[in-house]
Amino acid sequence: MGTPLESREAQAEEVVDRLEEAYPDSTISLRYSNRLELLIAVILSAQCTDERVNKETKHLFEKYDGAEDYADAPEDELAEDLNSITYYNSKAGYIKSSCRTILEEHDGKVPDTMDELTELSGVGRKTANVVLQHGHDVVEGIVVDTHVQRLSRRLGLTEEQRPEAIEQDLMGIVPEGYWQQFTHLCIDHGRATCTARNPDCSDCVLADICPSEKGDSEIDLASGEPW
Ligand code: SF4
């Protein structure tokens, strides 16, 4: 890592301060009313927009009520009920298998530890972090999705590529009390301004502290690639 830790810490704090001011109501946008629904919504949200997931889960959560319903459902029927979601066949399999494990090994309850959650089918560290944070009020790490990944690199908070390595870097510099909120702030700013293809640097509250601020060169300094 080229930039000293202290300056990355100061950068992270400044980013959080400014984004909190810009997005005071930032929070998770998936809809759910219990831990199982949260787990299912997060599994479905991989490579898919929250908006699409919310549209699909509206009828899904009416039809299926609890882990038993998903575990007992014929897989092709469950897949058909998810057919507007990216990779719906695989995700139907993950949900069915996870619900079976929840019934057989966790007394029908969504587990509350990172190890147990990541043993469920289709659940990686990112999904587990979301479920822990929003389902159990346990903040063990930082959720690194595509927005967090992109913004952290552009803002000079990390030079890593892999989400797991980025998470480790961020956990070393983002104040622990903001680990959960940091993700939502990055998502809001990534959607509104610092988009993947066409970031609006001229209207960005972070422009004066961002090493990737788009000047004349139109080069993404954080990745070395053109925008
Ligand atoms: S200045 Fe540009 S690259 Fe930097 S955070 Fe803002 S929109 Fe993103």
Side-chain angles (χ1 to χ4, degrees):
M1 173 61 61
T3 317
L5 180 66
E6 307 75 47
S7 50
R8 284 191 296 122
E9 275 174 348
Q11 174 82 338
E13 281 188 38
E14 188 63 26
V15 166
V16 168
D17 277 356
R18 292 192 192 190
L19 292 184
E20 272 218 312
E21 208 175 315
Y23 308 99
D25 302 320
S26 192
T27 189
I28 189 166
S29 54
L30 291 171
R31 296 212 195 94
Y32 58 93
S33 61
N34 57 49
R35 287 172 184 151
L36 183 68
E37 288 185 1
L38 171 63
L39 172 68
I40 288 168
V42 186
I43 290 175
L44 294 177
S45 72
Q47 313 278 317
C48 193
T49 65
D50 289 357
E51 201 183 344
R52 186 171 288 270
V53 171
N54 285 338
K55 216 170 156 197
E56 196 72 300
T57 53
K58 212 170 168 191
H59 69 80
L60 191 78
F61 294 160
E62 275 170 21
K63 177 169 174 181
Y64 298 87
D65 183 23
E68 222 155 50
D69 280 3
Y70 292 102
D72 292 346
E75 196 166 320
D76 53 351
E77 187 181 326
L78 181 56
E80 209 38 51
D81 287 331
L82 299 171
N83 68 9
S84 75
I85 303 279
T86 333
Y87 306 121
Y88 62 93
N89 277 316
S90 312
K91 290 176 182 174
Y94 296 151
I95 290 170
K96 204 172 144 58
S97 158
S98 289
C99 285
R100 200 174 301 124
T101 308
I102 286 171
L103 287 170
E104 288 169 2
E105 295 177 24
H106 302 289
D107 212 14
K109 297 191 175 70
V110 176
D112 62 359
T113 67
M114 179 64 76
D115 285 349
E116 289 170 319
L117 278 166
T118 50
E119 272 168 21
L120 299 176
S121 181
V123 177
R125 193 174 162 90
K126 183 181 99 180
T127 300
N129 261 327
V130 179
V131 173
L132 285 174
Q133 290 181 8
H134 293 276
H136 295 287
D137 281 332
V138 173
V139 183
E140 271 194 25
I142 297 178
V143 176
V144 178
D145 78 337
T146 181
H147 297 287
V148 176
Q149 197 169 1
R150 185 176 70 254
L151 266 71
S152 299
R153 287 174 50 76
R154 285 181 177 173
L155 287 162
L157 301 176
T158 183
E159 291 175 359
E160 298 288 352
Q161 304 268 6
R162 288 182 310 110
E164 295 77 11
I166 292 174
E167 184 185 1
Q168 288 309 311
D169 271 358
L170 292 176
M171 285 165 69
I173 55 172
V174 174
E176 197 168 345
Y178 290 97
W179 283 5
Q180 180 168 330
Q181 203 56 9
F182 182 79
T183 301
H184 301 308
L185 294 170
C186 285
I187 292 173
D188 279 352
H189 195 55
R191 284 177 179 153
T193 307
C194 192
T195 56
R197 288 175 172 271
N198 194 20
D200 188 3
C201 300
S202 62
D203 192 30
C204 176
V205 293
L206 304 174
D208 62 308
I209 58 164
C210 177
S212 306
E213 194 265 340
K214 193 165 52 165
D216 297 335
S217 63
E218 303 236 330
I219 294 291
D220 177 355
L221 298 176
S223 69
E225 292 165 4
W227 288 109

